[in-house]
Structures are given as C-alpha cells and as structure tokens.
Amino acid sequence: MSTTTHARQLVDEARELFASCHGASELENAKARYLGKSGAITALMKDLARLPAEQKREQGAEVNLAKQAIEQALQARRDALAEAELRQRLAEEAIDVTLDGRGQRRGGLHPVVRSWMRIESLFRSMGFEVAEGPEIEDDWTNFTALNSPQDHPARSMQDTFYVDVEDERGQPLLLRTHTSPMQVRHARAHVQAFAGSPDMPDIRVIAPGRTYRVDSDATHSPMFHQFEGLWIGRAVSMADLKGLYTGFLHGFFERDDIELRFRPSYFPFTEPSAEIDMRFDSGPLRGRWLEISGAGQVHPTVVRNFGLDPEEFMGFAFGSGIERLTMLRYGIGDLRQFYGSDLRFLEQFNAA
Ligand code: PHE
C-alpha cells in the first residue's frame, strides 16, 4: 500500500474512532494512537526519512495533510464533547423560576411565654422587681433554707429530679422543684446589698422560671413554669397579698368579675399557709372555684435565713403556675398541648 493511501485511510479511521469517543480521556487515548510518540502518523513521518528527496517531498506533503486532518477532527470532537457536557449541566442544574418560593414564615411566641411577659409587666407596674435564678439548684436553697430539713416529710410533697453531681460543698444538686429558692437567693442578696441599713427598702420581687418535678399527666408536666412572689417589709400582711393578687388577676384576665378566696393549706416555708382560689362571675367557668396559687406568710425560720430578724420583718410569698393561668385564660383543657410542638395548636396564639 502506498504511503498516500495509507495516510488517507488513517484519517478516515481516526475520524470514526474520535466520533465513537464519549469522554475527554477516551478521546486523548485515541489521539495518541495517531499523533502520539508511537502513533501511526508519527511512524509514517519516521519512514519518510528513508525515502529519496523527490518522494520525500511528495509523500511528506500527503502525510502532513493527513496529520492536519486528524488534528482538526480531534479538535472538532473535543469541542463537540465540551458542548454536550455544558448542555447536560445546564439541563440538570436548571432553576425553574416559575416555581413558588419557600417564603419566610413568621414565628410566634409560645403561649406560656406570652403569659410570662404579661406577668412581668403587670408586677413591674405594681412596683416589683423581676429576678431570675438557676434551674439547677442546691439542696440547701431548694429545701433546707425553706424550712424543709433533710428527712422532713414535706420533701416528699415534691418528687425531685436529682443531678448526678454535688456542689463544691458536697451537697446534692437538683432541678429546682419550685421557684421558692429564689425567695432565698433574692432576699439574701437584697439584705447584703443594704447591709443592715435602717432605710433598707422592702423586698418586692417576682421570680418567674422553669421548674421540674417527677410528674406527668393532663395537668402536670415534668417541666413547668412558676412565678414566685415575695414582699417583705416592716408592715406587710396577708391583706396586702389579697389586694395585690386581685389586682394582678384583673390585669391578667382583663376582666373585673373575679373573686378570690384563701383556703387553709400547708407549706413548710409559710405560716399560715393558703391556697389562692379564684372564680369568674360569668363565662363558661362561672362560679367554679379554681386553685391557682400557693401562698402564705413567710415562716420566721425562713425570714431568719434571709438574714433578717423575724421580730422586725415579715411578709408574704406566693408561687403560681404559669401554665395553669394560661390554660384558664385561653380555655385549654390539656397541659400537654403546650409541649407537643403541634403548630396547629401553637399558631392560634400568634394573633393574640
Ligand atoms: N412553692 C410552692 C409550690 O410550688 C408554692 C408556694 C410558694 C407556697 C410560696 C407558698 C409560698 O407548691
């Protein structure tokens, strides 16, 4: 076969082979078969060297043409592959700008948080400070300082979650079972700040926050919210509590047809102790006494633990459930709905 025929055949063959390549590396391998160091065209070039001058010129021109044709075919195939790849990516990564957007939904405050905020602003308006304290509490502050020494039967009134560590003084740590330890923390800080000064102002504080008990049913959740109230001064009585709490309830429920009663009860840290019951004079709950808060005159032992002389200082404390008040305000029957994370339930409060 003449060199010329051979060269033309090689061009046809290369075109066909390139066309069958579907990826860049496959194509580069195919290229090497013709133009590489031991490629067919390269071999033809080497053979030319052995020919006499005249034939060398003629056949050399043919081989060169073949080489150029193969290079062209190669470049054309490269371009075609790149184009195909681009087209495929565009199709795959296409964005349909006509689709609906995801939008930004507006969040809302949890109903318990709404109540919490209302409670704070109502008590602030009545001259109270707002204090917050730790949810992991020590045994002394949660119980002992509140007149429930170790082995006191009153401790079993509140089923406690203990934490597996002790504090630096070796006493047990626990999840606070009520907000009452904030009476102790706040009062002691207040007394210390005024260091026995005769013009120490009254202690007037509420302390809202999370509390924990081993308890779970339609009206109890292992985590729930309370707010503690404390008013200690030289002439503070349970009569002041009745006036204050009535005012709070009128504000909280935004209605005046609310009656209050104090029903005798027992707490180790108050004496006398009471449950505060309320009833509406109209509406679906009309006439039913509803228990909403524990309360009482602060026990002399507790006043002493505040760092004050119970002969000189007295006052009252109360501890109310925020979930309970929220359920009454909105007519919610099952406390577990607050913590079920069901948006259909939670979103109802966003407009309020
Ligand atoms: N700490 C009591 C409870 O959680 C409530 C309470 C607070 C009672 C303050 C009297 C005074 O049940």
Side-chain angles (χ1 to χ4, degrees):
M1 196 194 326
S2 78
T3 305
T4 309
T5 323
H6 189 200
R8 287 184 187 155
Q9 262 181 14
L10 283 177
V11 173
D12 290 341
E13 198 189 295
R15 284 199 178 117
E16 221 171 289
L17 184 63
F18 292 165
S20 75
C21 292
H22 291 285
S25 66
E26 209 186 334
L27 185 59
E28 295 315 307
N29 286 336
K31 167 197 164 182
R33 286 173 65 165
Y34 302 96
L35 307 174
K37 240 193 255 168
S38 44
I41 293 288
T42 317
L44 279 182
M45 300 275 220
K46 281 181 193 154
D47 291 345
L48 289 175
R50 278 181 268 127
L51 295 175
E54 177 131 350
Q55 284 183 27
K56 198 188 276 181
R57 189 159 6 91
E58 258 173 45
Q59 295 186 19
E62 281 295 335
V63 174
N64 255 330
L65 279 177
K67 188 181 173 207
Q68 280 167 21
I70 290 175
E71 278 169 348
Q72 256 172 36
L74 176 69
Q75 193 54 45
R77 187 62 190 152
R78 276 186 186 140
D79 291 348
L81 286 178
E83 164 97 12
E85 196 197 348
L86 178 66
R87 228 182 281 256
Q88 190 186 347
R89 274 189 52 196
L90 285 176
E92 275 170 6
E93 296 170 16
I95 294 172
D96 184 349
V97 293
T98 65
L99 284 177
D100 287 341
R102 285 205 194 115
Q104 295 272 332
R105 293 221 301 181
R106 223 198 225 216
L109 292 175
H110 192 278
V112 167
V113 173
R114 286 177 183 278
S115 292
W116 180 334
M117 291 165 70
R118 287 174 67 73
I119 291 162
E120 282 193 11
S121 80
L122 284 162
F123 276 96
R124 279 209 167 93
S125 77
M126 296 189 287
F128 277 66
E129 282 182 75
V130 175
E132 277 184 50
E135 290 169 30
I136 298 179
E137 188 52 279
D138 59 69
D139 188 81
W140 186 81
T141 317
N142 192 83
F143 288 123
T144 313
L146 290 164
N147 201 29
S148 312
Q150 217 99 48
D151 306 320
H152 191 287
R155 285 200 178 200
S156 59
M157 283 168 74
Q158 300 176 353
D159 227 336
T160 310
F161 286 112
Y162 283 91
V163 178
D164 248 359
V165 251
E166 298 175 342
D167 76 356
E168 57 290 345
R169 284 180 296 169
Q171 63 168 330
L173 291 175
L174 44 86
L175 299 184
R176 64 179 179 190
T177 55
H178 49 179
T179 44
S180 299
M182 278 307 291
Q183 290 184 34
V184 181
R185 285 181 181 274
H186 183 83
R188 286 167 73 89
H190 183 98
V191 168
Q192 207 170 30
F194 289 94
S197 146
D199 5 283
M200 182 184 89
D202 285 4
I203 299 168
R204 284 157 71 92
V205 68
I206 62 156
R210 276 178 281 277
T211 49
Y212 302 84
R213 284 182 210 175
V214 184
D215 214 349
S216 186
D217 59 38
T219 52
H220 298 91
S221 149
M223 186 284 300
F224 60 106
H225 296 74
Q226 287 191 333
F227 66 99
E228 195 75 9
L230 179 68
W231 186 354
I232 299 287
R234 290 180 170 83
V236 183
S237 79
M238 293 281 278
D240 297 306
L241 171 59
K242 194 153 190 179
L244 178 83
Y245 214 90
T246 305
F248 160 66
L249 290 178
H250 287 174
F252 184 82
F253 289 106
E254 295 174 278
R255 54 197 281 186
D256 288 338
D257 64 331
I258 296 173
E259 254 184 284
L260 240 70
R261 78 174 178 196
F262 287 175
R263 183 163 41 86
S265 184
Y266 171 77
F267 298 101
F269 33 90
T270 45
E271 182 58 39
S273 300
E275 301 291 342
I276 304 179
D277 296 338
M278 60 166 269
R279 72 177 174 195
F280 297 114
D281 289 339
S282 66
L285 291 170
R286 173 166 182 247
R288 258 177 62 190
W289 284 112
L290 309 160
E291 181 181 318
I292 43 169
S293 184
Q297 180 171 304
V298 179
H299 193 287
T301 300
V302 177
V303 174
R304 211 170 287 120
N305 287 334
F306 291 167
L308 294 171
D309 177 2
E311 295 295 326
E312 193 182 346
F313 290 94
M314 64 189 299
F316 60 78
F318 56 85
S320 316
I322 302 183
E323 279 84 351
R324 177 91 172 126
L325 286 168
T326 310
M327 288 167 80
L328 290 173
R329 180 163 145 84
Y330 296 113
I332 297 162
D334 188 336
L335 177 139
R336 286 169 293 203
Q337 291 202 277
F338 286 135
Y339 305 115
S341 299
D342 185 340
L343 286 179
R344 291 168 306 176
F345 170 74
L346 294 172
E347 278 172 346
Q348 299 175 90
F349 304 93
N350 290 357

